[in-house]
Amino acid sequence: MKSKVWLGLLSLALIIALPFGTDLILGRSWVRLLDFALLYAMLALGLNIVVGYAGLLDLGYVAFYAVGAYLYAMLASPHLGMHWPLWALLPMGALVAASFGALLGAPTLGLRGDYLAIVTMGFGEIIRIFLRNLNVTNGPAGIDLIDPIQIGGFSFGANHSLLGWDLPGIYSYYFLFIILTALIILISHRLSDSRIGRAWSAIREDEIAAKSSGLNTRHLKLMAFAMGAAFGGVSGVLFAGFQGFISPESFTMGESIMILCMVVLGGMGHISGVIMGAILLAILPEAFRPLSQFQQATFGHVWLDPANLRMLMFAIALIVVMIIRPEGLWPSPVHRRELHANDSEAGSSQKAAL
Amino acid sequence: MIEATYSSSSALLIAKGIGKRFGGLSALDQVSLSIPSGSIYGLIGPNGAGKTTLFNVLTGIYRADEGTFELDGRSLTHCRSDQICTLGIARTFQNIRLFGNMTAIENVMVGRHVRTHSGILGAILRLPSQRTEEQAMITRAQELLNFVGIGQHANQVARQLPYGDQRRLEIARALATDPKLLALDEPAAGMNDTETATLGRLLQKIKESGVTILLIEHDVKLVMGLCDRVAVLEYGRLIAEGKPANVKNDPRVIAAYLGTEVS
Ligand SMILES: Nc1ncnc2c1ncn2[C@@H]1O[C@H](COP(=O)(O)OP(=O)(O)OP(=O)(O)O)[C@@H](O)[C@H]1O
Ligand SMILES: [Mg+2]
């Protein structure tokens, strides 16, 4: 018990020290990267509800990120001349995104696997195309000059200072994002260990048995879509305020796939694994940046554009991991068992026909 | 055609003229049944007779092409699987369908879902009502595991349980839904004589607790010893129905199915 308390305090100290250490050692741009990593962690945790808990492959998840981001951008910027506060927009973002989640989920309820993936991918693109073509979202140009996030009189965009440290906005955002990530972790954890969470697992394991055990699978799937979307909406609101500018190009299908990779690579259904996957994949591209300087220095020419190189490395890493550890780098015990079901078969062919 | 002759007042489940075709094959043809409340009702027949298909119709997995069925006077013909379960029919599967990677007790707790209420908000806020309900679910699930005789395996992963225990776990999960009618599809399949005898006693106990049982079983001894009434299917048709003693002497049944097995 006591060691647990110490461990908690130590982690807390590390989390607080992290941006300062990163700034000192790696530079300021890396603190910004940390902020993005946290946004991705929230997104990945949201998608994890849909994919990891309920077993529904969703390839259009970024649409909910977009809904949250555009909600904030439209209601807190000169674009429509409105400047609503965060405390109103954050829950609104969650709610509106959740409604979109249920709305887009409803027509897909009968679909499974590949079909579900294709339809959700389509929905993701539809949302993006709407954002490109509507006037109220300012079309392809996107929305600029979005208000920085503000709570009470405290502006997260402004510079602050603490004990002689000069703290630019990226620090304040870091702590805000940490708090919200912690909240999302808590919610994810409580959901997984609840009546609804067990029902989601049951649907993932065997939908026919779940139905025959009285589970209203339509209802439960809609709940998973809505809940996952709500997290996406929250992340979107934060993203818009943090970035100050958004356009439809931030919400492409590639982004959806990236978030899915975070979930799968880290370990579907496992909170810690998913967070690790998100942080790894958010930071990895930056780690490749020095490669271009290295090429410039050695060959006098950049042969491989780091942006492309990074996609290549990324793909290779993903393939290798999926071959060696299909359950992800840090899986939950249940998912590990699922993926190794055939290694040591005790209960034989239980999922054959009816 | 044979029709069960019961006054509907004592019948729990009444099926009338059920028909189900797969392409050209008539898997069920004009099947009518009346299962008396509080009984163990046997459903037997050779392989491919349509027994499992009838279960799938009665539990909403297949939609009947013809006919109607009702439970306690309420029509279930057009209900979804989960609604049918809510209204009182629970089942097990011929090829066991557990939530293989969840623990035994979690499997049974999923069965409790339909009789409990806490939702997403309750889970997120860990409301007191949610915590009491969760605790009650655990207690009830453990009781049911004890009842079917696998209480000591509560925290074991379902897939890793021995075969016979998996069958009993499926029964516990079905009982967790508080069914009026428990439909068991070959629960003794793959069990040895001792396990089958234990299962027979378990079914008797379930009956005594007030749950009506519909039992598909190939083990003739078990069926004849246990059932209050038996229906015999062959090629999708009901060819006999009645008390086990009468059914097993019916010449059509002997010809069709029991043959030399019953003397
Ligand atoms: N989904 C399906 N599609 C096509 N044919 C089916 C389907 N389900 C069952 N059948 C056919 O319907 C007939 C009845 O099958 P059913 O499984 O109900 O028999 P059963 O009495 O349960 O047999 P067993 O004792 O072998 O379990 C069989 O000929 C079977 O091949
Ligand atoms: Mg069968």
Side-chain angles (χ1 to χ4, degrees):
Chain A
M1 192 59 222
K2 202 163 179 193
S3 68
K4 238 182 169 172
V5 173
W6 280 111
L7 204 69
L9 284 175
L10 188 70
S11 325
L12 191 67
L14 273 178
I15 287 170
I16 293 173
L18 187 64
F20 299 95
T22 308
D23 195 350
L24 273 179
I25 299 165
L26 295 166
R28 208 136 265 190
S29 71
W30 281 78
V31 181
R32 194 176 160 72
L33 203 63
L34 276 183
D35 293 352
F36 270 110
L38 287 171
L39 281 175
Y40 275 118
M42 289 184 244
L43 277 173
L45 284 168
L47 184 60
N48 182 47
I49 303 262
V50 184
V51 179
Y53 289 1
L56 304 163
L57 189 50
D58 184 349
L59 283 183
Y61 184 69
V62 79
F64 310 122
Y65 191 42
V67 165
Y70 268 90
L71 185 87
Y72 186 88
M74 290 191 300
L75 297 182
S77 75
H79 175 55
L80 300 178
M82 287 193 257
H83 299 277
W84 291 26
L86 183 76
W87 63 259
L89 288 177
L90 201 62
M92 232 174 104
L95 228 65
V96 172
S99 318
F100 268 86
L103 205 70
L104 297 189
T108 70
L109 288 177
L111 305 175
R112 281 190 74 75
D114 312 354
Y115 299 101
L116 179 62
I118 290 166
V119 174
T120 52
M121 187 193 283
F123 280 145
E125 284 297 278
I126 288 171
I127 298 270
R128 189 178 62 85
I129 291 165
F130 261 105
L131 295 175
R132 267 185 79 87
N133 291 292
L134 290 176
N135 277 332
V136 71
T137 58
N138 205 25
I143 298 175
D144 205 351
L145 300 171
I146 301 167
D147 300 348
I149 289 173
Q150 198 153 358
I151 296 177
F154 186 88
S155 169
F156 286 79
N159 282 314
H160 298 274
S161 67
L162 182 76
L163 305 173
W165 267 79
D166 151 46
L167 298 182
I170 45 176
Y171 277 88
S172 322
Y173 278 115
Y174 172 83
F175 291 108
L176 177 67
F177 292 177
I178 280 285
I179 291 170
L180 285 162
T181 307
L183 197 68
I184 286 182
I185 291 172
L186 181 76
I187 293 175
S188 291
H189 175 74
R190 287 187 166 184
L191 278 176
S192 84
D193 180 28
S194 76
R195 172 173 173 269
I196 303 292
R198 272 189 305 273
W200 284 335
S201 300
I203 293 174
R204 193 185 67 227
E205 293 259 329
D206 188 330
E207 190 163 346
I208 288 184
K211 280 182 183 169
S212 302
S213 302
L215 304 192
N216 185 336
T217 51
R218 298 152 170 271
H219 235 117
L220 286 157
K221 284 181 184 180
L222 281 185
M223 275 189 205
F225 276 125
M227 199 63 220
F231 289 178
V234 167
S235 322
V237 165
L238 298 174
F239 170 66
F242 173 61
Q243 176 99 330
F245 161 73
I246 58 167
S247 80
E249 295 324 300
S250 305
F251 309 104
T252 57
M253 201 177 74
E255 203 71 6
S256 284
I257 291 175
M258 177 68 91
I259 302 164
L260 184 67
C261 286
M262 292 169 172
V263 175
V264 175
L265 181 82
M268 249 190 281
H270 191 218
I271 295 171
S272 320
V274 168
I275 294 170
M276 190 183 81
I279 292 175
L280 261 183
L281 290 194
I283 286 182
L284 210 61
E286 205 58 20
F288 283 118
R289 189 174 295 244
L291 271 177
S292 75
Q293 288 151 16
F294 171 78
Q295 287 179 50
Q296 183 77 51
T298 16
F299 308 116
H301 183 72
V302 179
W303 295 101
L304 275 168
D305 174 21
N308 294 334
L309 184 67
R310 137 194 159 209
M311 281 326 276
L312 182 70
M313 296 301 290
F314 178 57
I316 292 174
L318 208 62
I319 291 170
V320 170
V321 170
M322 285 303 108
I323 291 173
I324 300 173
R325 277 180 81 85
E327 67 270 39
L329 295 172
W330 192 0
S332 73
V334 172
H335 281 81
R336 197 197 333 258
R337 291 196 290 262
E338 270 170 31
L339 279 144
H340 290 286
N342 300 322
D343 299 359
S344 61
E345 202 54 359
S348 72
S349 59
Q350 63 190 53
K351 279 184 188 168
L354 281 174
Chain B
M1 192 188 358
I2 315 274
E3 291 226 9
T5 47
Y6 267 97
S7 68
S8 55
S9 63
S10 72
L12 176 65
L13 181 111
I14 300 174
K16 289 183 193 139
I18 302 279
K20 177 75 196 170
R21 276 179 302 279
F22 295 112
L25 175 89
S26 182
L28 293 174
D29 184 14
Q30 289 292 313
V31 175
S32 298
L33 284 180
S34 175
I35 301 179
S37 202
S39 65
I40 299 184
Y41 194 97
L43 183 61
I44 62 175
N47 287 335
K51 307 179 294 292
T52 300
T53 305
L54 181 61
F55 265 38
N56 287 338
V57 168
L58 293 181
T59 54
I61 290 173
Y62 296 157
R63 193 99 16 252
D65 298 321
E66 290 161 3
T68 58
F69 61 101
E70 57 185 58
L71 186 81
D72 247 353
R74 195 182 188 297
S75 171
L76 302 182
T77 318
H78 302 290
C79 288
R80 295 191 311 265
S81 293
D82 56 290
Q83 295 171 320
I84 289 177
C85 180
T86 311
L87 291 168
I89 303 182
R91 71 171 291 179
T92 65
F93 294 85
Q94 184 168 352
N95 303 303
I96 302 172
R97 298 186 83 121
L98 288 166
F99 309 121
N101 298 294
M102 297 166 74
T103 62
I105 195 160
E106 281 170 344
N107 268 269
V108 184
M109 287 168 81
V110 171
R112 264 333 267 168
H113 186 96
V114 70
R115 303 293 169 218
T116 44
H117 309 284
S118 29
I120 285 198
L121 217 58
I124 292 174
L125 302 177
R126 286 266 150 107
L127 298 173
S129 63
Q130 188 263 352
R131 287 206 304 258
T132 352
E133 189 180 85
E134 185 83 4
Q135 211 49 53
M137 269 168 110
I138 294 173
T139 313
R140 180 86 183 106
Q142 183 64 52
E143 276 170 17
L144 284 163
L145 287 173
N146 296 344
F147 180 75
V148 302
I150 53 170
Q152 71 280 21
H153 298 316
N155 293 314
Q156 214 156 313
V157 178
R159 190 162 42 71
Q160 288 164 357
L161 290 172
Y163 192 75
D165 289 350
Q166 293 195 14
R167 289 232 173 258
R168 286 192 279 184
L169 177 54
E170 243 195 337
I171 295 177
R173 181 182 67 190
L175 284 176
T177 66
D178 292 343
K180 293 175 185 161
L181 180 70
L182 176 65
L184 304 172
D185 197 343
E186 301 196 20
M191 286 188 176
N192 61 31
D193 286 352
T194 339
E195 286 176 313
T196 306
T198 318
L199 178 74
R201 285 195 295 278
L202 175 62
L203 298 192
Q204 202 67 49
K205 267 201 308 184
I206 294 172
K207 174 186 165 178
E208 278 155 22
S209 75
V211 178
T212 308
I213 296 176
L214 173 57
L215 173 68
I216 296 179
E217 192 44 72
H218 279 301
D219 189 317
V220 175
K221 225 169 65 196
L222 186 69
V223 172
M224 294 303 171
L226 213 57
C227 295
D228 302 294
R229 290 186 82 82
V230 178
V232 188
L233 274 180
E234 186 195 24
Y235 296 122
R237 292 214 183 85
L238 206 60
I239 58 165
E241 205 276 344
K243 292 229 158 59
N246 301 338
V247 167
K248 79 176 168 188
N249 292 322
D250 188 313
R252 293 184 63 181
V253 176
I254 294 171
Y257 174 58
L258 299 177
T260 53
E261 284 178 61
V262 176
S263 45

